[in-house]
């Protein structure tokens, strides 16, 4: 029986094989490498359709709980923004700087001495932003990754996320969860010519330059620090979320050392653990699809994509990107 390589028809429960481009064994949801029609062909006894699946309603409820547990987020007095020009759809691509002032008027940098912020900021200078250049990871950088994961896992927010995922049989222990986070976020893969030049963390939080454009770079702390150094120039925003406290969401246009980002969405004023946790949840629950959440009574969606060209462990997928969607 010939089966399309990207389908589970006639393949439910078959053992994992490196050769397969997508999988139909019961563990595939956990490893985020199921074929798209896994649920259709392999339910209702399949992992997806069982009590271990994560429903849309659970995502809405859990995201509200995580929002409420973001104890390290900025208070309204900690950040003063100056959004200036709001770009129309025909303006986002024209590379015109319509905002003469910086985006950040003021940030209370005492925030950055909190353990999760301090350990996060230490990671930002570990990367070469050009794709196609192999990343050299030193022992010190590996220790910085471990320290960041250690600090975020001390927070109530990440403990809540782990408890939820453990309840869904995704992880047996916190150690297993942390190890998987380390692989999916910090594991290296090639966006270029076979060089191990990228990782989910580098792309999403630190930012990369690919084919003359800014790629990824969705983090407010990174933006603020580089704007302060004078290497990021804020041009305009095309979306400002409905929140009147932090975290808020901004869709923005900017250049980084002359490389342009047409629409870069970012949570503003959230803690590192909030963003890291929310993106991880969406990647685990809805990889490659829009993940619909609710924060403070307002709906929003996060989009994640798995890296499809290489895997870790028994077929685990790295994070290619994750970002909050601005309409």
């Amino acid at each position: 029986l010939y089966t399309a390589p990207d389908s589970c028809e006639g393949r439910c429960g078959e053992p994992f094989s490196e050769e397969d481009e997508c999988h139909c064994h019961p563990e595939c949801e956990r490893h985020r490498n199921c074929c798209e029609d896994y649920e259709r062909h392999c339910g209702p006894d399949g992992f997806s359709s069982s009590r271990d699946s994560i429903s849309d309603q659970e995502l809405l409820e859990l995201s509200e709980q995580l929002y409420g547990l973001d104890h390290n987020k900025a208070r309204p007095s900690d950040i003063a923004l100056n959004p200036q020009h709001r770009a129309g759809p025909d303006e986002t691509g024209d590379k015109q700087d319509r905002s003469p002032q910086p985006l950040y008027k003021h940030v209370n940098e005492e925030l950055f001495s909190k353990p999760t912020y301090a350990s996060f900021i230490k990671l930002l200078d570990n990367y070469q932003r050009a794709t196609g250049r192999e990343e050299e990871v030193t022992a010190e950088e590996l220790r910085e990754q471990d320290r960041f994961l250690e600090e975020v896992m001390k927070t109530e927010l990440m403990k809540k996320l782990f408890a939820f995922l453990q309840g869904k049989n995704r992880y047996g222990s916190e150690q297993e969860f942390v190890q998987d986070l380390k692989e999916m976020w910090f594991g290296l893969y090639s966006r270029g010519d076979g060089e191990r030049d990228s990782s989910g963390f580098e792309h999403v939080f630190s930012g990369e330059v690919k084919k003359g454009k800014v790629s990824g770079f969705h983090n407010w702390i990174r933006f603020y620090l580089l704007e302060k150094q004078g290497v990021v120039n804020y041009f305009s925003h095309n979306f400002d979320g409905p929140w009147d406290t932090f975290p808020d969401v901004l869709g923005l246009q900017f250049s980084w050392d002359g490389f342009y980002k047409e629409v870069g969405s970012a949570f503003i004023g959230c803690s590192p653990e909030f963003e890291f946790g929310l993106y991880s949840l969406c990647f685990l629950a809805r990889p490659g699809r829009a993940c619909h959440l609710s924060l403070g009574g307002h709906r929003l969606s996060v989009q994640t994509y798995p890296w499809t060209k290489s895997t870790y462990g028994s077929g685990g997928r790295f994070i290619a990107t994750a970002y909050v969607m601005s309409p």
Side-chain angles (χ1 to χ4, degrees), residues 85-98 213 234-239 250-255 259-265 326-327:
H85 184 76
R86 183 158 189 159
D90 54 335
E91 293 177 330
T92 56
D94 65 8
K95 304 186 186 181
Q96 296 296 310
D97 182 359
R98 295 184 166 86
K213 288 183 179 169
Y234 169 71
F235 281 18
S236 55
H237 70 288
N238 62 305
F239 173 76
L250 211 56
L252 59 166
Q253 291 66 51
F254 62 93
S255 84
F259 299 103
Y260 188 61
K261 180 79 177 181
E262 189 170 326
V263 179
S265 60
S326 50

Side-chain angles (χ1 to χ4, degrees), residues 161-220:
L161 175 60
F162 166 66
F164 174 82
L165 293 169
Q166 188 181 33
K168 293 291 181 183
N169 290 321
R170 301 300 170 102
Y171 298 102
S173 68
E174 192 172 302
Q175 187 184 356
E176 191 191 338
F177 178 47
V178 170
Q179 190 51 43
D180 200 35
L181 287 172
K182 188 172 182 177
E183 293 281 6
M184 73 172 81
W185 279 106
F186 294 104
L188 293 173
Y189 50 81
S190 170
R191 282 185 200 265
D193 310 313
E195 305 288 347
R196 294 192 338 138
D197 61 351
S198 189
S199 69
F201 187 92
E202 176 186 8
H203 179 85
V204 172
F205 293 105
S206 184
E208 298 181 293
V209 171
K210 186 174 182 182
K211 297 182 178 163
K213 288 183 179 169
V214 175
S215 180
F217 197 143
H218 297 286
N219 179 255
W220 76 270

Side-chain angles (χ1 to χ4, degrees), residues 126-140:
N126 291 354
Y127 300 102
Q128 303 185 44
R129 67 182 182 185
T131 57
R133 290 174 60 185
E134 180 124 16
E135 293 290 345
E136 300 292 333
V137 183
T138 65
E140 173 66 16

Side-chain angles (χ1 to χ4, degrees), residues 37-309:
D37 59 5
Y38 171 77
E39 204 163 338
R40 189 152 48 92
H41 289 297
C42 308
D45 302 324
F47 190 96
S48 308
S49 310
S50 74
R51 61 194 164 74
D52 294 337
S53 65
I54 298 172
S55 71
D56 289 350
Q57 186 57 36
E58 284 172 318
L59 284 173
L60 294 175
E61 288 167 10
L62 181 61
S63 54
E64 282 290 3
Q65 290 167 343
L66 298 179
Y67 178 77
L69 290 173
D70 190 12
H71 304 314
N72 286 325
K73 68 184 178 190
R75 298 181 309 267
S77 59
D78 286 330
I79 300 175
L81 287 180
N82 185 13
Q84 302 162 82
H85 184 76
R86 183 158 189 159
D90 54 335
E91 293 177 330
T92 56
D94 65 8
K95 304 186 186 181
Q96 296 296 310
D97 182 359
R98 295 184 166 86
S99 303
Q101 305 299 317
L103 173 61
Y104 288 92
K105 276 200 284 203
H106 163 73
V107 171
N108 174 12
E109 292 193 13
E110 281 176 28
L111 281 172
F112 301 161
S113 60
K114 293 182 181 212
T116 57
Y117 285 82
S119 57
F120 173 81
I121 289 167
K122 273 204 159 61
L123 293 167
L124 295 174
D125 64 358
N126 291 354
Y127 300 102
Q128 303 185 44
R129 67 182 182 185
T131 57
R133 290 174 60 185
E134 180 124 16
E135 293 290 345
E136 300 292 333
V137 183
T138 65
E140 173 66 16
E141 288 171 358
L142 288 171
R143 279 196 296 275
E144 288 174 358
Q145 292 171 10
D146 289 337
R147 167 56 58 84
F148 172 69
L149 290 166
E150 204 178 290
E151 293 299 346
V152 297
M153 285 311 298
K154 289 177 188 171
T155 65
E156 240 186 297
L157 186 155
M158 287 297 285
K159 286 192 184 303
K160 176 76 186 173
L161 175 60
F162 166 66
F164 174 82
L165 293 169
Q166 188 181 33
K168 293 291 181 183
N169 290 321
R170 301 300 170 102
Y171 298 102
S173 68
E174 192 172 302
Q175 187 184 356
E176 191 191 338
F177 178 47
V178 170
Q179 190 51 43
D180 200 35
L181 287 172
K182 188 172 182 177
E183 293 281 6
M184 73 172 81
W185 279 106
F186 294 104
L188 293 173
Y189 50 81
S190 170
R191 282 185 200 265
D193 310 313
E195 305 288 347
R196 294 192 338 138
D197 61 351
S198 189
S199 69
F201 187 92
E202 176 186 8
H203 179 85
V204 172
F205 293 105
S206 184
E208 298 181 293
V209 171
K210 186 174 182 182
K211 297 182 178 163
K213 288 183 179 169
V214 175
S215 180
F217 197 143
H218 297 286
N219 179 255
W220 76 270
I221 300 165
R222 173 74 162 158
F223 190 100
Y224 164 74
L225 292 171
L226 290 181
E227 186 179 61
K228 189 180 162 189
Q229 287 172 30
V231 290
V232 158
N233 180 13
Y234 169 71
F235 281 18
S236 55
H237 70 288
N238 62 305
F239 173 76
D240 189 354
W243 295 270
D244 50 15
T245 59
F246 299 115
D248 197 357
V249 176
L250 211 56
L252 59 166
Q253 291 66 51
F254 62 93
S255 84
W256 179 16
D257 268 346
F259 299 103
Y260 188 61
K261 180 79 177 181
E262 189 170 326
V263 179
S265 60
F267 284 109
I268 309 288
C270 64
S271 68
E273 61 267 27
F274 175 82
E275 208 170 353
F276 188 73
L278 219 57
Y279 289 157
S280 301
L281 167 65
C282 284
F283 186 65
L284 293 163
R286 300 287 185 270
R289 288 176 284 163
C291 172
H292 303 302
L293 309 174
S294 177
L295 305 179
H298 297 289
R299 296 290 180 100
L300 87 165
S301 302
V302 162
Q303 178 73 48
T304 64
Y305 287 104
W307 186 251
T308 54
K309 296 175 187 165

Side-chain angles (χ1 to χ4, degrees), residues 7-9 11-14 22-26 28 34-35 38 42:
S7 170
C8 278
E9 192 174 358
R11 291 175 54 201
C12 293
E14 67 173 18
C22 62
H23 304 276
C24 308
H25 57 88
C28 70
C34 299
C35 301
Y38 171 77
C42 308

